[in-house]
């Protein structure tokens, strides 16, 4: 089973393009912390989390599988607090129906793509997603206060700027959520997971990265 997970993880990393790699994005978390994402040929360096495993998740407060993943993330963040940092970026579009209509009728018009990319790719099949177009709200702030005891970083879509659009191009992401990219301690892509990840796969990635680091350290001491 572990070998199968490792093979799947290896194949997943192959879709992460290096063609548009070297860009820098600054975002603020819901708690006001500033994060910097710096693209490299092999992945993304997340500051101030250099030297940590980084789970970069794209999710929505209305998404059932995303909500089911929260307890697993909380558990892993607590258990591996010295080695792991989780950053969850909300992808719910804060865009009005009028803005969307204008974009559809004039696709070349300059517009914040991070607002509409997720909606366009998913066609807003979920009625709750459609509701966001009629009445945009700051859902994330209310969600943070809802008692989920989240112990990792949350970023609102309005604060993610063009980073969301960058990921759609860099990781060939079609906008479906949850979508998770795992980076090792050097910021290299270790796995790309579309859909709700199993806890076994998340654990396997963490252990594989830590074991690789341990073996590397042992070889240096010989």
């Amino acid at each position: 089973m572990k070998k199968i997970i490792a093979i799947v993880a290896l194949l997943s990393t192959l879709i992460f393009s290096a063609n548009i790699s070297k860009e820098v994005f600054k975002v603020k978390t819901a708690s006001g912390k500033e994060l910097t994402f710096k693209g490299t040929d092999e992945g993304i360096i997340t500051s101030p989390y250099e030297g940590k495993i980084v789970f970069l998740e794209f999710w929505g407060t209305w998404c059932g599988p995303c909500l089911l993943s929260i307890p697993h993330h909380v558990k892993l963040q607590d258990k591996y607090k010295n080695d792991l940092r989780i950053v969850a970026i909300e992808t719910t579009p804060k865009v009005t129906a009028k803005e969307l209509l204008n974009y559809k009728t004039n696709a070349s018009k300059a517009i914040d793509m991070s607002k509409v990319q997720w909606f366009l790719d998913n066609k807003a099949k979920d009625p709750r997603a459609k509701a966001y177009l009629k009445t945009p709200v700051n859902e994330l702030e209310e969600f943070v206060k809802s008692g989920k005891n989240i112990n990792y970083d949350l970023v609102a879509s309005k604060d993610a700027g063009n980073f969301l659009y960058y990921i759609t191009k860099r990781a060939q992401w079609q906008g479906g959520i949850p979508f998770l990219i795992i980076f090792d301690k050097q910021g290299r892509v270790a796995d790309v997971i579309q859909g709700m990840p199993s806890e076994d796969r998340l654990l396997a990635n963490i252990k594989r990265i830590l074991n690789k680091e341990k073996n590397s350290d042992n070889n240096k001491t010989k």
Side-chain angles (χ1 to χ4, degrees), residues 28-183:
K28 281 196 174 181
T29 68
S31 63
K33 183 191 302 181
E34 184 174 273
L35 303 179
T36 300
F37 299 105
K38 181 180 179 182
T40 69
D41 288 341
E42 295 180 296
I44 295 174
I45 301 293
T46 303
S47 178
Y49 299 146
E50 295 91 339
K52 305 289 184 183
I53 299 168
V54 174
F55 282 11
L56 184 60
E57 181 189 42
F58 297 88
W59 71 299
T61 56
W62 58 269
C63 164
C66 301
L67 300 181
L68 289 173
S69 295
I70 290 176
H72 300 309
H73 292 345
V74 169
K75 179 181 176 181
L76 291 174
Q77 182 62 85
D78 183 59
K79 182 176 181 179
Y80 294 97
K81 57 188 175 184
N82 294 326
D83 296 290
L84 173 68
R85 291 294 182 270
I86 299 174
V87 180
I89 298 180
E90 178 197 32
T91 62
T92 304
K94 299 296 186 294
V95 59
T96 65
K98 183 178 180 181
E99 285 178 309
L100 182 65
L101 179 62
N102 288 341
Y103 178 79
K104 283 186 174 180
T105 56
N106 185 5
S108 63
K109 181 181 178 182
I111 189 171
D112 181 359
M113 283 298 297
S114 67
K115 284 185 174 183
V116 299
Q117 190 65 43
W118 177 88
F119 178 86
L120 294 176
D121 288 338
N122 289 275
K123 299 181 176 63
K125 295 178 181 178
D126 190 296
R128 289 167 294 179
K130 292 180 181 178
Y132 282 104
L133 294 180
K134 297 178 181 178
T135 311
V137 294
N138 197 337
E139 183 76 8
L140 190 63
E141 288 187 5
E142 295 301 317
F143 186 82
V144 171
K145 300 174 185 176
S146 67
K148 298 290 184 182
N149 298 318
I150 296 176
N151 56 356
Y152 50 87
D153 292 318
L154 298 178
V155 179
S157 59
K158 66 182 179 63
D159 296 319
N162 291 323
F163 184 58
L164 282 171
Y165 187 50
Y166 170 79
I167 291 296
T168 67
K169 297 299 184 183
R170 184 84 195 274
Q172 301 177 39
W173 174 40
Q174 298 301 308
I177 54 175
F179 181 71
L180 178 68
I181 308 173
I182 298 177
F183 299 93

Side-chain angles (χ1 to χ4, degrees), residues 180-191:
L180 178 68
I181 308 173
I182 298 177
F183 299 93
D184 68 14
K185 291 191 173 187
Q186 287 72 46
R188 297 173 299 209
V189 178
D191 200 357

